[in-house]
Every structure is written in structure tokens, then in C-alpha cells.
Amino acid sequence: MLEPLRQGLPPTDPSGVAGSASCALPARYEAVGGARQFTRSTLERWELSDRFDDVALVVSELVTNALRHALPSDPPREFQDPPVRLHLMRWSSRLVCAVRDPSRESPVAGEAADSAESGRGLFLVECVSDSWGWHPSPAPAGELSSAPSKPVYGKVVWALFRLSDCAKNE
């Protein structure tokens, strides 16, 4: 799932992988709160609670975008519930949060009017994380459409947080 993300990043020593966690999210806006709780408990387990505010903001924006823009208002039956998945991965010097959804459409950072109540999510992701991006992703094994020859495809939107800055400030 993350091979395109790994391209362009420094080589990853397998011994440096400190952990990964994943949760499925239902296609309801209440899932954003669940994603934040999952993020909090995962970061606490990894002793990264000090990064919660920034990471939770990004997770909230990515999950909200997946729910708002990537899911059709009347989802086809071939999408197994839940169609959105949050992944958190930690290496010794970086943390990645990634959200997979069933849409292959590119996320687009919009320009919101000053009075608009939404439309700034990817701008916030860009400001708070060290980098972000997306790539098309085939559905994981076992999550195929009802037509066996045609897998459900989607995308993964990710944000990277460098952790080495935390060590320098301690």
C-alpha cells in the first residue's frame, strides 16, 4: 500500500520500524471522532502523545475528506462496509498517517472564501505535516467487488511527520 510513499523518502531500515496500527471506519461522520480516539490511544502506546494535536488535526481532515468527497451519497453494494481505513505507521524518525478510500479521484486543495466554513482541509494538512501526498491503491486482498475479475480500486492520502525534531527539543 505504501510503496509509492516510500519512493522519494530516505531508505527505511526494517529494524527501524517501530509499529503500525490500522482501523476501519464506517461511512458516517461520527467516524472522525473514532479516528481521533484511535490516534490518541495509538500515539500514547508509542509514547508520542506530544504529537497528538498535530496528528489528530491531520487525521480529522483526511478522514473528513474521505467521507465527504470519496464516498458516493448512495454507495454501491460492492463496497464492503466500512470503505474508509486509517493507518498509522511509525519508524524511528517519522510517523505517517494514511487514509484509504474507494475513490480514485485526486484530492484537490481548494481556495475557500474567507467566510467559508469548509474547504481548507488540505491547506491545514500541508501546514501541519512535513509533507503529504496521495497515490492510487488497489483494494487489499479480500476486499474485492462482487465481480471477481474487477477489484475495487481507491486511493491512499498520506501525511508525513518527522519525529527527529522531537528528539532535538528534549
Side-chain angles (χ1 to χ4, degrees):
M1 175 184 93
L2 293 176
E3 194 56 39
L5 169 60
R6 290 187 185 118
Q7 297 169 3
L9 288 178
T12 303
D13 177 4
S15 65
V17 176
S20 67
S22 177
C23 73
L25 301 169
R28 297 188 313 265
Y29 286 112
E30 294 83 19
V32 177
R36 289 175 65 89
Q37 290 173 341
F38 174 79
T39 300
R40 180 181 297 280
S41 64
T42 301
L43 293 181
E44 285 174 356
R45 191 170 62 249
W46 291 344
E47 298 179 0
L48 294 173
S49 296
D50 57 324
R51 299 302 301 261
F52 173 74
D53 291 337
D54 289 344
V55 175
L57 173 65
V58 167
V59 164
S60 296
E61 294 299 334
L62 296 182
V63 170
T64 298
N65 282 349
L67 295 171
R68 180 175 291 157
H69 301 293
L71 297 177
S73 56
D74 185 22
R77 296 190 189 276
E78 72 243 15
F79 291 138
Q80 291 184 355
D81 193 40
V84 175
R85 190 159 196 90
L86 168 64
H87 304 270
L88 299 172
M89 289 134 302
R90 177 183 179 215
W91 289 265
S92 58
S93 63
R94 62 184 173 260
L95 171 73
V96 172
C97 63
V99 175
R100 182 176 57 84
D101 67 55
S103 171
R104 287 192 67 135
E105 294 204 19
S106 167
V108 177
E111 290 193 24
D114 290 343
S115 60
E117 293 183 16
S118 64
R120 296 177 187 83
L122 291 176
F123 174 75
L124 291 173
V125 170
E126 185 172 324
C127 289
V128 173
S129 67
D130 290 298
S131 63
W132 75 277
W134 76 280
H135 60 85
S137 175
E143 292 188 27
L144 301 178
S145 69
S146 55
S149 63
K150 184 179 178 189
V152 175
Y153 288 93
K155 70 176 172 297
V156 174
V157 182
W158 55 265
L160 170 80
F161 296 87
R162 297 204 185 277
L163 300 176
S164 57
D165 292 339
C166 295
K168 291 177 187 174
N169 293 332
E170 292 180 9

